[in-house]
């Protein structure tokens, strides 16, 4: 294949070598973690070591980590009216979400449609805390689900402030930290989260493994999604994905150790990419630029651009970017995130997401900018009615 540059890390990150190695080693362990013999105990050791590693990444206790098949499943598990605590056993009647949540949260988990309320965001895509306070005041015992950073814009949400509001109303806060973990600080206690979702494949682990993490052991899930054997302390039946979990743990160790250095590396490159982009196209709009964003994400457009066409044009130049949300890449759908920010349809149709990672290089940024220069020239010729 000709030289290519990958700028779609928010869709998924490449497997870290340490995770690949842990996965390979775990695949050679034949035991089932539920078996009592030596082979079973060896497999159990792998899952429990990974539980400690994943817990350490977010400052939790290993006993509060529940492995799932994905971030999506962890979100689905968290969003249940039947989450009880030592002091509150009544069902949670309402689910409050920000208007920019990932589809796996927007779907509402086990809540009925009419029990779900959306909270507005401002023009930069940040949660409106006053609107949250108002919604919480009229919704007793709410479950509130907020993302720590948005997957399209990268905008970081005021989660700790939101937690204080939610807790005054005896609410519980679930935080979807899938895009944030490994890129910005993500400590479950500092965030004030009661529940936290993360996913292995965004931090250099394999696809198809996630975790739901609780802040305290008195938080119980009365309504498991998968019943059967007693795996994951009765919360998720089914023989564990031992190799995937072991690799998740290994990725968590590296993500924790290298977070600050990787974030600084990504931020420097992302800033030079944005400077170059705006030097080529002074009219380029970078969504959420007025807010704190993840160090690796740029969502941008110029008037008249169509995202699908741009993604294909970039691809032909050897650059992988995406249009709108990662999980709906390939589908032509207006972004609910940009709509919630009040962006008008001509601009939402052209939003292209560029997301960097720990192995992105300055040469790749240069390659991106060369491709953009070509594309921007073609666009402006088209606008002036000149055949390219
Ligand atoms: N939450 C957010 C914010 C995401 O960006 C994604 C995936 O892109 C998910 C949840 C779902 O995670 P998974 O792909 O592991 O199902």
């Amino acid at each position: 294949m000709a030289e290519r540059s990958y700028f779609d890390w928010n869709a998924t990150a490449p497997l870290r070598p340490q995770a690949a190695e842990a996965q390979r080693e775990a695949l050679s362990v034949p035991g089932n973690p539920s078996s009592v013999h030596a082979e079973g105990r060896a497999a159990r050791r792998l899952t429990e070591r990974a539980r400690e590693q994943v817990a350490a990444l977010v400052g939790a206790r290993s006993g509060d980590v529940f492995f799932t098949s994905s971030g999506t499943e962890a979100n689905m598990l968290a969003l249940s009216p039947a989450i009880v605590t030592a002091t509150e056993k009544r069902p949670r009647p309402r689910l409050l979400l920000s208007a920019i949540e990932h589809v796996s949260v927007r779907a509402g988990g086990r809540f009925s449609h009419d029990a779900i309320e959306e909270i507005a965001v401002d023009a930069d895509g940040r949660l409106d805390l006053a609107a949250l306070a108002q919604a919480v005041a009229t919704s007793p015992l709410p479950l509130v689900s907020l993302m720590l950073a948005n997957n399209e814009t990268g905008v970081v949400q005021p989660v700790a402030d939101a937690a204080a509001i939610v807790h005054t109303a005896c609410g519980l806060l679930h935080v979807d930290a899938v895009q944030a973990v490994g890129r910005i600080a993500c400590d479950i206690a500092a965030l004030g989260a009661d529940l936290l979702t993360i996913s292995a494949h965004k931090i250099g682990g394999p696809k198809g493994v996630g975790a739901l993490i609780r802040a305290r052991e008195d938080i119980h899930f009365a309504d498991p999604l998968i019943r059967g054997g007693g795996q994951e302390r009765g919360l998720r039946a089914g023989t564990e994905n031992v190799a995937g979990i072991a690799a998740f743990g290994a990725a968590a160790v590296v993500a924790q150790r290298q977070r600050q250095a990787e974030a600084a590396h990504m931020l420097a490159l992302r800033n030079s990419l944005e400077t170059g982009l705006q030097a080529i196209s002074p009219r380029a709009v970078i969504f959420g630029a007025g807010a704190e964003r993840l160090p690796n994400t740029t969502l941008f457009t110029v008037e008249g651009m169509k995202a699908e066409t741009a993604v294909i044009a970039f691809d032909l130049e050897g650059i992988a970017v995406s249009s709108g949300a990662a999980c709906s890449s390939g589908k032509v759908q207006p972004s609910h995130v940009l709509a919630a920010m009040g962006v008008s349809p001509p601009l939402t149709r052209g939003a292209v997401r560029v997301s960097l990672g720990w192995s992105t290089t300055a040469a790749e940024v240069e390659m991106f900018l060369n491709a953009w220069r070509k594309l921007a020239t073609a666009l402006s010729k088209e606008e002036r009615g000149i055949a390219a």
Side-chain angles (χ1 to χ4, degrees):
M1 204 197 275
E3 197 190 347
R4 293 197 52 89
S5 295
Y6 185 71
F7 282 100
D8 201 11
W9 290 66
N10 286 13
T12 196
L15 197 64
R16 293 187 189 261
Q18 297 88 338
E21 180 57 20
Q23 182 151 14
R24 201 188 54 74
E25 278 174 12
L27 283 170
S28 68
V29 174
N32 182 324
S34 299
S35 301
V36 293
H37 45 61
E39 288 81 357
R41 293 198 306 277
R44 167 69 56 207
R45 271 197 301 280
L46 292 178
T47 60
E48 295 320 297
R49 185 177 62 185
R51 207 180 297 283
E52 281 165 19
Q53 293 164 328
V54 167
L57 179 63
V58 298
R61 285 178 343 118
S62 62
D64 291 324
V65 173
F66 299 88
F67 287 117
T68 62
S69 70
S70 57
T72 297
E73 187 192 324
N75 283 343
M76 181 81 192
L77 193 56
L79 303 187
S80 161
I83 293 185
V84 297
T85 66
T87 51
E88 191 48 74
K89 309 268 186 252
R90 285 174 294 174
R92 306 257 155 200
R94 288 183 75 70
L95 174 64
L96 309 181
L97 318 168
S98 84
I100 55 164
E101 294 303 312
H102 184 259
V103 280
S104 57
V105 167
R106 275 168 80 73
R110 267 80 59 78
F111 282 84
S112 68
H113 235 67
D114 52 8
I116 304 173
E117 188 177 337
E118 270 189 12
I119 316 295
V121 296
D122 66 17
D124 272 318
R126 266 171 65 97
L127 177 75
D128 180 341
L129 288 168
L132 175 68
Q134 209 169 10
V136 156
T138 53
S139 297
L141 298 181
L143 177 62
V144 179
S145 184
L146 301 173
M147 56 193 355
L148 181 50
N150 184 263
N151 46 306
E152 296 185 31
T153 59
V155 170
V156 176
Q157 301 300 313
V159 164
D161 293 338
I165 294 170
V166 171
H167 291 148
T168 55
C170 300
L172 281 178
L173 178 64
H174 165 251
V175 174
D176 175 349
V178 166
Q179 291 291 346
V181 74
R183 294 175 178 153
I184 57 173
C186 184
D187 178 274
I188 193 166
L191 291 171
D194 299 293
L195 296 165
L196 193 80
T197 290
I198 63 173
S199 177
H201 72 107
K202 310 286 185 181
I203 61 164
K207 297 162 191 65
V209 193
L212 181 63
I213 302 159
R214 63 181 178 191
R216 306 179 306 276
E217 62 181 339
D218 80 298
I219 298 173
H220 289 287
F221 308 86
D223 194 14
L225 267 179
I226 307 176
R227 294 171 198 274
Q231 290 93 346
E232 295 303 298
R233 281 146 294 141
L235 193 58
R236 183 181 196 269
T239 301
E240 298 86 342
N241 173 4
V242 176
I245 289 170
F248 188 7
V253 170
V254 185
Q256 186 181 4
R257 190 175 59 224
Q258 293 179 189
R259 179 180 67 79
Q260 285 177 330
E262 289 179 353
H265 169 78
M266 292 187 287
L267 184 65
L269 290 179
R270 199 276 309 267
N271 288 349
S272 83
L273 184 146
E274 290 189 352
T275 306
L277 186 71
Q278 290 187 308
I280 296 165
S281 308
R283 286 185 309 135
V285 176
I286 295 175
F287 297 106
E292 181 192 350
R293 285 179 294 151
L294 291 176
N296 76 318
T297 307
T298 300
L299 182 70
F300 81 99
T301 195
V302 292
E303 226 176 296
M305 180 162 86
K306 288 202 183 68
E308 317 87 75
T309 319
V311 168
I312 293 166
F314 273 119
D315 193 39
L316 292 172
E317 293 293 323
I319 312 278
V321 292
S322 92
S323 59
C327 299
S328 55
S329 293
K331 288 189 214 157
V332 183
Q333 269 178 354
S335 154
H336 69 279
V337 175
L338 292 178
M341 290 162 66
V343 178
S344 59
L347 283 185
T348 56
R349 269 199 296 275
V352 168
R353 184 185 64 188
V354 189
S355 49
L356 290 68
W358 55 82
S359 64
T360 304
T361 62
E364 286 180 305
V365 170
E366 206 44 53
M367 192 172 155
F368 169 87
L369 291 173
N370 288 337
W372 173 246
R373 198 171 286 111
K374 268 195 193 174
L375 182 56
T377 310
L379 269 170
S380 68
K381 276 188 185 161
E382 212 177 273
E383 218 179 346
R384 286 181 282 132
I386 305 166

